[in-house]
Amino acid sequence: MSYTNDTFDDPSPDYNAAVSRSNTSTTGSSGYLSHYRSQSFDDFHPRNDDLTNIRRLPRAQSALSSKHERYEYAYSLLAGGAQIQFIVSVQPNHGTPTSGKYTISLSLKVDKMTRSLGEPIQLKLSVDPRRLHFIVFLFPGKTSLPVGALYSYRVWLRVNDVDHRLFGQDDLWIAKDPDFASIADASIARMKKNQSNSQMYESTVGKARVQFIVRWLRVAEDMYDYTMEYDCSGVGAMLFEDLRLKVDGDPRTVTFHIYTVPMKSLPIGASHRLRVWMRTFCGTSDTASLSIPYNDSYIYQRIWKSDSLKIGGHLDFSALGSKMIVGHSLGSPTTVTTATATSKKRVGQPHPQDANDHVEIG
């Protein structure tokens, strides 16, 4: 059975069937009720006398007693043979569960690793954020390689029998031990180093030896920022630098499956598809995947892709034809020296260093 975008965006999906395929472990929730009435803050308002007393408290004492809360709703699902959790986080912008603006975010947890899905959204809530009901479900995606690894996900919020769609994308790639061997002509990078804050993978891309370097920086107790770059014969570039992961344990247990697939191009072997999958161990030991790296099951998630990696060794540019006009060198490069003057940054005018430094390979 195929699913179209119209099917996914149906404003009235069959929630009963969808919910039956997922289990919720939400704290403070009693399940999905067909006639559930969300409690508003009118049900929890203190007396006017209490409010008067609160307003009369000294400012210093109010600052000391302030706190910030966040409410996480967890839902368990099975995708591609992998047991996963969707976590919906509800955080009041003002720190406490009162009527006002809230930041809603979605995360995917696999074993001991958690990553964000999509961008957080802002909602105004006048109902109790500790008694919300979300509807979370997956649909199999279109035909894909590896088979059975592509899904569409949807997250809806149900309040007083009215449903609001919060999150939804059609490109969630995840599976347990997918068949990467089914991808023809794929060149798979092999891990060469797994150090305390980096990993190095090596592959052959268009007859050129390429190294892919993954680095991570600890930014909180269990939070890490990941980057990946490539290097080939002394030339390289950053591929991505915006992957933030929460890892409960040794970050070296999170490894990557990197491969390229050649595309039709002239000269032959100059253009490639690049795919990066994250791999986490299916087990209970933090060190098991370090000691036995190829003898267990893993859950794979595709986290990045590019169809514009253009690199190759010994390319035959004469294949472009006789109409090609070739430039000829005029000798050694000319050295140009410029003086750098210190200047004040004008308000509203971006500094050159503030510009987007994303490197697009092409």
Side-chain angles (χ1 to χ4, degrees):
M1 178 178 180
S2 62
Y3 297 89
T4 64
N5 290 333
D6 294 337
T7 303
F8 292 143
D9 292 332
D10 182 3
S12 302
D14 185 358
Y15 289 120
N16 293 329
V19 172
S20 65
R21 294 194 295 269
S22 65
N23 299 319
T24 175
S25 58
T26 307
T27 303
S29 175
S30 59
Y32 296 102
L33 302 179
S34 58
H35 297 288
Y36 175 81
R37 174 185 174 272
S38 296
Q39 293 176 291
S40 67
F41 286 101
D42 294 337
D43 301 326
F44 300 95
H45 278 169
R47 296 177 302 173
N48 293 333
D49 294 342
D50 296 334
L51 290 176
T52 303
N53 293 334
I54 292 175
R55 295 191 187 98
R56 291 177 179 175
L57 289 176
R59 292 184 179 181
Q61 183 174 351
S62 298
L64 293 175
S65 62
S66 64
K67 62 179 180 179
H68 295 276
E69 298 180 350
R70 183 175 71 250
Y71 316 103
E72 294 185 345
Y73 296 78
Y75 297 83
S76 176
L77 302 96
L78 188 66
Q83 192 70 39
I84 64 176
Q85 287 185 18
F86 276 72
I87 300 176
V88 184
S89 175
V90 181
Q91 182 170 359
N93 294 0
H94 30 72
T96 55
T98 56
S99 179
K101 292 184 178 181
Y102 285 75
T103 299
I104 316 294
S105 58
L106 179 66
S107 301
L108 174 62
K109 182 176 182 180
V110 178
D111 193 35
K112 298 181 179 181
M113 187 282 304
T114 306
R115 67 182 178 99
S116 298
L117 293 179
E119 296 293 332
I121 63 174
Q122 297 287 327
L123 289 180
K124 292 183 65 176
L125 297 180
S126 57
V127 295
D128 189 354
R130 298 161 296 186
R131 292 172 173 81
L132 298 178
H133 289 261
F134 296 94
I135 299 171
V136 181
F137 54 91
L138 297 172
F139 278 116
K142 299 178 181 179
T143 303
S144 63
L145 285 177
V147 176
L150 177 59
Y151 291 88
S152 299
Y153 67 85
R154 299 291 185 266
V155 177
W156 292 71
L157 170 63
R158 173 170 290 179
V159 177
N160 296 327
D161 295 328
V162 177
D163 302 309
H164 309 259
R165 201 181 100 166
L166 306 182
F167 303 98
Q169 289 191 8
D170 301 325
D171 59 349
L172 178 62
W173 293 79
I174 187 168
K176 178 180 178 182
D177 297 323
D179 184 15
F180 290 106
S182 62
I183 303 175
D185 302 323
S187 178
I188 301 176
R190 303 298 180 185
M191 180 188 290
K192 296 297 183 179
K193 297 179 181 179
N194 191 358
Q195 300 175 333
S196 60
N197 60 352
S198 66
Q199 297 169 357
M200 193 268 283
Y201 300 80
E202 194 170 87
S203 179
T204 300
V205 183
K207 299 181 181 179
R209 184 66 63 180
V210 180
Q211 293 179 344
F212 297 98
I213 302 97
V214 179
R215 294 185 174 90
W216 56 87
L217 176 66
R218 186 178 180 180
V219 295
E221 180 178 357
D222 52 2
M223 199 74 66
Y224 300 85
D225 282 347
Y226 281 74
T227 66
M228 191 179 86
E229 60 186 274
Y230 83 88
D231 181 86
C232 181
S233 299
V235 179
M238 186 69 67
L239 296 174
F240 66 79
E241 52 184 347
D242 56 354
L243 177 62
R244 175 163 292 189
L245 301 178
K246 180 181 179 182
V247 182
D248 299 329
D250 192 339
R252 294 176 298 169
T253 59
V254 178
T255 56
F256 296 84
H257 185 75
I258 306 168
Y259 63 90
T260 58
V261 179
M263 303 171 62
K264 291 183 179 180
S265 64
L266 279 178
I268 297 175
S271 298
H272 311 269
R273 291 186 172 92
L274 174 61
R275 300 293 184 263
V276 180
W277 292 64
M278 184 168 52
R279 186 176 69 171
T280 49
F281 181 66
C282 294
T284 56
S285 173
D286 287 343
T287 58
S289 62
L290 297 177
S291 59
I292 314 177
Y294 301 111
N295 197 34
D296 292 286
S297 292
Y298 294 86
I299 297 178
Y300 292 76
Q301 305 176 57
R302 199 184 80 178
I303 58 172
W304 193 81
K305 73 166 188 174
S306 173
D307 292 335
S308 59
L309 179 61
K310 299 187 183 297
I311 191 173
H314 306 286
L315 297 178
D316 182 15
F317 291 100
S318 63
L320 296 175
S322 59
K323 295 183 179 181
M324 178 180 61
I325 301 175
V326 181
H328 296 278
S329 174
L330 298 180
S332 300
T334 301
T335 301
V336 180
T337 303
T338 58
T340 303
T342 303
S343 61
K344 294 183 178 180
K345 180 180 176 182
R346 296 180 181 178
V347 177
Q349 180 179 359
H351 192 276
Q353 294 181 352
D354 295 337
N356 186 5
D357 58 353
H358 173 72
V359 178
E360 182 176 354
I361 301 174

